Structure formats: structure tokens, C-alpha cells
Amino acid sequence: MLDICGVPPQKFRTICSSIDKLDKQPFEQIKKEMVEEKGLSVQTADEIGTFVKERGHPLELLSKLKQQGSKFLGHNGSADALNDLEILFKALEVSKCIDKVVFDLSLARGLDYYTGVISEAVFKGRAQDERSLCATERPRAIFELAIAQPALDMPELLWKGFLTKPLTTTQLQ
């Protein structure tokens, strides 16, 4: 997304750190930081703004991003990410969890060291919301395992296990 907007590779990390503040600050304040403190052009910051303000139902927003003429389709990395998201969202749909998920393009935590799609799970209903950041490879492996089963009677248990089981060092490699 940042490449599509025209962010130079050397500014990727610093712009990610600005975007990561969107859950605490309005976009106009983030835009000011990106332009005045980090040297991004106003046009590039505005372009980022058109994307990071997007959030909604996963399949609906994915469909919008995959429409003909979308800047995402003309970019190899983005096209791959959209395909990864489609796999994840279809798994969530099959497991009847899709309506509990919001697709938010402002999620920027970990973009400088994760590859592929990242996700954040927010568990509601506790004294304080708990957050967990994940990479694509684990949901893809779980989805492939699930669809290989002859019958998956309770797919929500599969996702519960995914969301609650910590990764080991071996799994990360």
C-alpha cells in the first residue's frame, strides 16, 4: 500500500510508525507528522489517507480493493496480499466467524518485519481488550489443515486454538 502511494523505501519504517498511531490520533495529525517531521509530500500523505481510512466487512472491502482499475491489482506485492486475504476471509466465512471480523487498512504494526498479510485480534469483554498480532503463514497453514479434513464439525474451535495458542520459536522459523 505504501509503495502504491509513493512512499520511498527508505521512509517505509518511519511512515509505518506514524500510521500505527491512527488508533490514538486523527489522520490530520498523522498527516502533519508525515509531512512536516518525516518529509513526505502532501500528495503522498493524502494518498495514504485514502487507504488507511478504509475499514469494514472483510469480503466487501476486499471486493472493493480487487475491482477493475484498482491500484492494488497492478502491483505484484499487493495482488499477492489480496490473494492471501481472500484465503483467510474464506476460512473465516467457512468457520462462521467472518461477521466478527473487521478489515482495517490502517493496521501497521509489524509491517517492517512481517512478510505478507498481518492481522490483529482484539478480544472484547474483558477488563481491558487484549490484542494479538499475527502473520499470514499460520492462518494459511491452519486453513489448509482444516480443508483437508473430511468433516469439520466445529471450525470455530480451530480458530479459537489458533488465536489462543502462542507460537513457539520452531513455528516462527
Side-chain angles (χ1 to χ4, degrees):
M1 176 177 76
L2 297 181
D3 190 36
I4 289 170
C5 293
V7 174
Q10 67 273 19
K11 293 190 182 214
F12 180 81
R13 284 184 181 210
T14 191
I15 298 303
C16 283
S17 73
S18 295
I19 294 170
D20 190 34
K21 299 174 189 174
L22 281 170
D23 61 337
K24 297 172 190 78
Q25 299 174 5
F27 179 74
E28 287 307 314
Q29 193 171 348
I30 301 300
K31 176 182 172 183
K32 183 178 179 180
E33 176 183 313
M34 290 189 297
V35 172
E36 293 178 9
E37 295 175 27
K38 299 186 177 182
L40 211 57
S41 73
V42 171
Q43 180 183 355
T44 300
D46 285 337
E47 187 78 17
I48 291 169
T50 64
F51 289 120
V52 298
K53 293 175 184 175
E54 293 281 353
R55 71 186 312 257
H57 187 275
L59 292 172
E60 291 171 12
L61 187 48
L62 181 65
S63 175
K64 180 179 177 181
L65 295 174
K66 290 181 100 172
Q67 286 179 352
Q68 187 171 355
S70 167
K71 293 179 180 183
F72 282 88
L73 294 179
H75 186 275
N76 286 337
S78 295
D80 290 343
L82 293 178
N83 290 334
D84 286 345
L85 284 168
E86 187 169 15
I87 291 168
L88 176 62
F89 295 162
K90 285 183 178 181
L92 290 169
E93 186 174 48
V94 166
S95 66
K96 297 178 177 49
C97 297
I98 194 79
D99 292 328
K100 297 177 193 251
V101 174
V102 175
F103 184 20
D104 184 348
L105 292 182
S106 72
L107 183 59
R109 282 174 291 288
L111 285 177
D112 55 342
Y113 52 87
Y114 279 126
T115 59
V117 176
I118 59 170
S119 60
E120 180 180 58
V122 179
F123 302 95
K124 300 281 186 179
R126 298 186 182 163
Q128 183 178 13
D129 292 345
E130 293 181 22
R131 296 178 182 271
S132 174
L133 192 62
C134 310
T136 305
E137 292 77 15
R138 190 167 179 207
R140 180 190 298 266
I142 291 171
F143 176 69
E144 289 172 0
L145 175 67
I147 61 173
Q149 304 301 312
L152 188 59
D153 294 331
M154 299 175 67
E156 65 278 2
L157 294 179
L158 180 72
W159 288 106
K160 181 180 180 212
F162 160 69
L163 292 171
T164 58
K165 182 181 177 205
L167 286 172
T168 66
T169 304
T170 306
Q171 289 173 308
L172 288 172
Q173 296 171 348

